[in-house]
Amino acid sequence: MKTLIATSLLALLAASPSLANKAFVSNERGNTITVVDTDTWEVIQEFDGGNRPRGITLSPDGSKLYVCASDDNLVRVFDTETYRELESLPSGPDPELFVIDPTGRHLYIANEDDNLVTVTDTETRTVLAEVPVGVEPEGMAISPDAKWVVNTSETTNMAHFISTEDYKIYHNVLVDQRPRYAQYTDDGTRLFVSAEIGGTVSVMDIAPDGTPTLVEKISFEVPGVLPEWLQPVGIKITSDGSRIFVALGPANRVAVIDGETLEVLDYIIVGQRVWQLDFTPDEAFLLTTNGNSNDITIIDVAAEKAIKSVQVGQQPWGVVVTPN
Amino acid sequence: MVQSLPSYLQPDKRYRLQFGSILPGISARSPTFQSGRREVIVRQIIAPLLAVLVCVGLAGHASALDVKAAVLRIDYPRLLPISRYDLRPDDLGFAGAMLADEDNGTTGTFLGHTYETQQIAVPPEEADAALEQILADGIRLIVVMAEGRDLLRLTDRAAQDDALILNATAPEASLRSEECRASLLHIAPSNLMLADAIAQFSVWKKWDEWFLVSGSNFADTSLADAYRRAARKFGLKIVEERVFADTGGSRRTDSGHVLVQRQLPTFTQGAKRHDVLIAADGTDYFARYLPYHLSLPRPVMGSAGLRPVTFHAAHEAWGTSQYQSRFEALSGRYAHAEDYNVWLALRVIGEAVTRASTVDAQAIRDYALSDAFELAAFKGQKVTFRDWNGQMRQPILLYDGMITVSVSPQEGFLHQVSPLDTLGLDRPETECTSFN
């Protein structure tokens, strides 16, 4: 009987080469990772994620899941098929957010407590460099050509541009209070930085040599919502650059911004205290983590509407979706 | 004593609970949102200026700035506190200054700015000489930890040399009203803000009837005034008031709890029906003994039980864990509210220096009071200054001695400028004219 089921399952798997993608959600309070099927939007698994899992990302091939286990002071690595913990990586203390380079070899980690960005080699599992940055580093972005890593420091209020060649800072740009997140456009010509307490998103033009120029600050305004609660955090941009989505924290909304005019077109109501976002690989859907309602909201990107919410673990923080 | 309140302060007018406020049905044409729009416009003007500033920085032409400040702390002769947890560390406030120098200095490394803050502790009789020395050293940015009357005298002297004073500890309402000074900014919340924070929570809980027990010293009676005013402002009723007289002596004795356990139920006996006891003890001689020793089983708020504070070492929300870690690594102890206030005062200076590229005390003051100023201070929203009396707007934490129980302003208390202005003296109430 067992053999029969196994065989049928194998047959089923073989018959459907376009496997459903998986969304991994880190639950900061629950200390777990929730796995959601992006076809059925059903929770298929919840597993132990270490202490206080926050930042979450994948290796470029989608086989490994990296989780900042903040209270364990390390990055935990999980197999995305078996959910077994494979290893852990040195991260420096209190890792919160990180980016992985396109080769999957280097992780750039923000260490909030130490005013450092730590560069970790994912294969040798060693620390390659520690870059001193401003106070309370948090947001991390990597340019599409992988030449620049941007870190935002929440108390210094700057975006620091670190060269991946020599790990030195070449540019510092002042932004508004408490910058949380940074995101390049796919063509690398623009960078967006959210300032949670300042309530703005700073827009920088990026020259071919990587030099940033601050060109605009996007503000938000929602009738009936106190301006104090419009706190931008997570940012995702469609690959064609036409739409920018910004999570607005306790305003319980995701702002939709025109990539050309930089005007806010709409606010999509989602769950409570929305912080991080990720697209499905086809960009059909955008997933939001809602820390105070313990769910994720699924947004139909083309329709710019929330279509569903899925209960996950306690206080979801970050989300990442496997590639095709 | 506060006289009967003008109509704009009557309960159920401006300060009433409006739970529907987060729903889209409430008009967006309220003054609150007009003010929001103005801010947007201001930002749009500032953005190009910032870009210029940044470009200058990138081109390496930013002028190096050396920011010199001082913290002047007056150490008054005081009895030991009731609880050992309230003992004052020798570096009280100064540890906050050290952290601020580190934080400002880290930012400064990217801009060519350095920060150095002197720390001076003196007995009251040496305070004036200490200020003279600070001024003689060319320092014009001074954080003062002193009682109100000393603070005013020092401020007036410093003003002759165009120095800016930042008040880190004195809570008296008068300093923000008839006794205000143009060169004096208040980082410490006022008694009125603290009392209003408790009153709003009381409204939220529907604990409408207060039994007010106050001490007999000046600091106690001025705190009691603040609670009376808060009760009127938010439509709460003080059903009974008693004074617990300060008869001197030490504040705790070996096995003194035996006597306390017999005295306090008797003291609180027979009070009219009340929901909560509000303690006004600005000198820390009796309030700590109140919880569990009342005649009736009632919660205590104010100077004991649930206390309104600007900061405490267990506060973690809004990224504060990082502040606590940095502070503890540097000082080897937990942060006190005074440390946070001094840190915040110097962060105000740091933020003004960073954004306005100046070390001039007057220019820093003007920037801090301008619409452009905003600062993240681990309280979930930006802190700014009231440009009519120099008071920093800030949320108040309600603390039970272990954790943050709640944060005021409470949800639903609205204001046309900022919900933070539901705490303390509002523009129409202040008698301050120095900022006009």
Side-chain angles (χ1 to χ4, degrees), chain A residues 54 94 112-113 115 132-136 154-158 160 169-178 197-198 200 212 214 217 219 221-229 231, chain B residues 21-24 26 28 32-33 37 40 43 47 50-51 53-54 58 103 106-107 110-111 318-319 321-323 325-326 347 351 354-355 374-376 378 380-382 414 418-419:
Chain A
R54 293 195 280 176
D94 197 16
E112 280 208 298
D113 270 2
N115 304 342
V133 292
V135 182
E136 289 172 39
E154 291 175 326
T155 290
T156 290
N157 303 318
M158 282 182 185
H160 308 284
I169 296 177
Y170 285 83
H171 312 285
N172 298 290
V173 180
L174 268 172
V175 294
D176 283 340
Q177 298 293 306
R178 209 172 153 77
I197 296 296
T200 58
L214 189 62
K217 288 190 183 178
S219 295
E221 194 176 349
V222 180
V225 176
L226 292 175
E228 287 81 357
W229 302 130
Q231 301 186 351
Chain B
S21 62
I22 52 169
L23 299 173
I26 298 292
T32 309
F33 296 99
R37 273 199 288 277
V40 171
R43 283 217 184 91
L50 268 177
L53 183 74
V54 169
L58 288 168
D103 286 357
T106 302
T107 302
F110 302 111
L111 298 165
W318 304 305
S321 309
Q322 281 90 52
Y323 177 93
S325 308
R326 286 207 304 283
R347 280 289 298 129
E351 187 62 20
T354 300
R355 304 279 171 180
E374 57 182 44
L375 184 61
F378 303 104
Q381 56 179 296
K382 63 190 171 196
L414 298 181
S418 158

Side-chain angles (χ1 to χ4, degrees), chain B residues 95-96 99 323-335 339:
Chain B
L99 181 64
Y323 177 93
Q324 309 285 14
S325 308
R326 286 207 304 283
F327 184 89
E328 287 157 21
L330 189 67
S331 67
R333 63 173 175 81
Y334 289 133
D339 297 307

